[in-house]
Amino acid sequence: MAVPITEAYTLGFIGAGKMAEAIARGVDKSGILPASRMRTAHRTLARRQAFSSFGVHVYESNIKVVEESEVIILSVKPQVVKEVLSELKPFLSKEKLLVSIAAGIRLNDLQEWTGHGRLIRVMTNTPSLVGMAASVICLGELATTEDEKFVSNLFGAVGKAWTAKEKLLDAVTGLSGSGPAYVYLAIEAMADGGVAAGLPRDLALCLASQTVLGAAAMTIESGKHPGQLKDEVTSPAGTTIAGIHVLEKNGFRGTIMGAVMAASKRSEELS
Ligand code: NAD
């Protein structure tokens, strides 16, 4: 029987890198758990200081982090997950909930390497660094509904989180995992267009980024279909429909669909 996570739990990070720091800072800032209840370990001083500077306890070893934590976020690179878990296996048990954010490492493998199924796998993305991640949560065999709620809350502190079946994670990787890079390309291209049309570079970049942010917020907050929002801003013989015509002639939507599908396929090949 899995032990419920209490209010007084401690949260450990194995792998004190960029993602771990983003999650730790986001969770601390959100008020759901103070940094003083978080633990990590790292061999370099710079990473140790990055965590201790906002109140996380930094230890000498991963084992001590696991021993002292009820919930452990596995945030090392995928290539080292197996090796790290083989060292930690004797200290992991059903009393502890293990949450892996390692891209491409499946629940089955995690279960085999840890010896139990109280696991949750999460696919998040880099906007977690600014509290705007899109994360998807997949439950292992022994993870409880409470565990799910708990992890949704945790990742809700650095953005938004949804639960899905693991078989959808390659598609999630192709869409929200790789998606920020597609949008960076779009922002850069829009800014370049602005420069070509005579705008100073700084202003063009600010306008492009803010426009993407604004359009995303409109889609989320209005609840309207993006096609309807597009129709609402295209006046007859106007500027916007002239721009859209160029995008459609060049296969804009098909290209973006293709990018998501190619990245999903690549994720499938890699895992
Ligand atoms: P990172 O390189 O910044 O962090 C990993 C850290 O783990 C490093 O500081 C490294 O020194 C440390 N480490 C290596 N071996 C270790 C060991 N044996 N014990 C303890 N620590 C060890 O990487 P990141 O970008 O934070 O990514 C971490 C995980 O998050 C990866 O598995 C990645 O797949 C996943 N992820 C990253 C992103 C992203 O956009 N960066 C998005 C989704 C998921």
Side-chain angles (χ1 to χ4, degrees):
M1 189 60 192
V3 177
I5 296 156
T6 64
E7 290 277 299
Y9 70 93
T10 47
L11 178 63
F13 291 89
I14 300 297
K18 290 183 293 290
M19 292 304 282
E21 185 179 348
I23 297 165
R25 284 186 186 275
V27 170
D28 180 52
K29 208 159 118 196
S30 73
I32 61 172
L33 187 80
S36 59
R37 294 240 293 278
M38 301 181 203
R39 279 98 182 90
T40 194
H42 204 271
R43 55 191 162 75
T44 71
L45 184 63
R47 296 310 301 154
R48 296 166 72 86
Q49 281 173 344
F51 279 78
S52 57
S53 68
F54 64 100
V56 176
H57 294 274
V58 183
Y59 296 150
E60 291 298 322
S61 79
N62 288 338
I63 292 173
K64 182 132 198 284
V65 175
V66 170
E67 280 179 337
E68 290 217 356
S69 308
E70 278 89 42
V71 182
I72 297 130
I73 299 198
L74 186 63
S75 43
V76 291
K77 290 284 190 201
Q79 312 83 274
V80 298
V81 166
K82 188 176 181 185
E83 173 200 325
V84 168
L85 287 180
S86 69
E87 184 202 14
L88 297 178
K89 189 173 177 178
F91 306 92
L92 291 164
S93 66
K94 279 185 297 232
E95 327 289 270
K96 298 183 191 276
L97 172 65
L98 185 74
V99 181
S100 166
I101 64 163
I105 307 286
R106 298 191 185 278
L107 284 166
N108 261 348
D109 291 324
L110 293 168
Q111 183 156 346
E112 188 189 323
W113 300 334
T114 55
H116 71 81
R118 195 172 177 197
L119 302 164
I120 290 190
R121 180 179 167 199
V122 181
M123 182 65 211
T124 183
N125 64 4
T126 37
S128 58
L129 298 167
V130 291
M132 306 258 284
S135 305
V136 172
I137 292 166
C138 308
L139 306 189
E141 266 173 29
L142 298 181
T144 63
T145 323
E146 266 205 347
D147 292 344
E148 178 192 354
K149 254 196 241 150
F150 171 83
V151 173
S152 295
N153 232 356
L154 212 58
F155 283 83
V158 287
K160 289 190 181 172
W162 295 266
T163 301
K165 295 270 183 236
E166 190 182 31
K167 65 177 189 211
L168 298 180
L169 267 208
D170 292 317
V172 168
T173 305
L175 175 52
S176 52
S178 304
Y182 315 152
V183 179
Y184 299 144
L185 234 66
I187 290 174
E188 189 187 15
M190 284 171 76
D192 280 347
V195 171
L199 292 176
R201 169 68 60 187
D202 288 0
L203 179 60
L205 200 52
C206 290
L207 292 176
S209 313
Q210 183 63 23
T211 301
V212 169
L213 187 65
M218 283 290 285
T219 316
I220 293 168
E221 285 170 31
S222 71
K224 291 180 184 171
H225 187 280
Q228 186 186 343
L229 289 167
K230 181 264 295 170
D231 286 356
E232 285 171 6
V233 292
T234 41
S235 29
T239 58
T240 308
I241 198 69
I244 286 175
H245 183 216
V246 173
L247 293 175
E248 294 290 19
K249 262 198 313 198
N250 289 285
F252 182 68
R253 284 191 282 182
T255 304
I256 292 183
M257 281 174 68
V260 174
M261 288 160 70
S264 306
K265 187 162 172 280
R266 188 72 188 123
S267 168
E268 217 177 299
E269 287 163 6
L270 289 176
S271 56

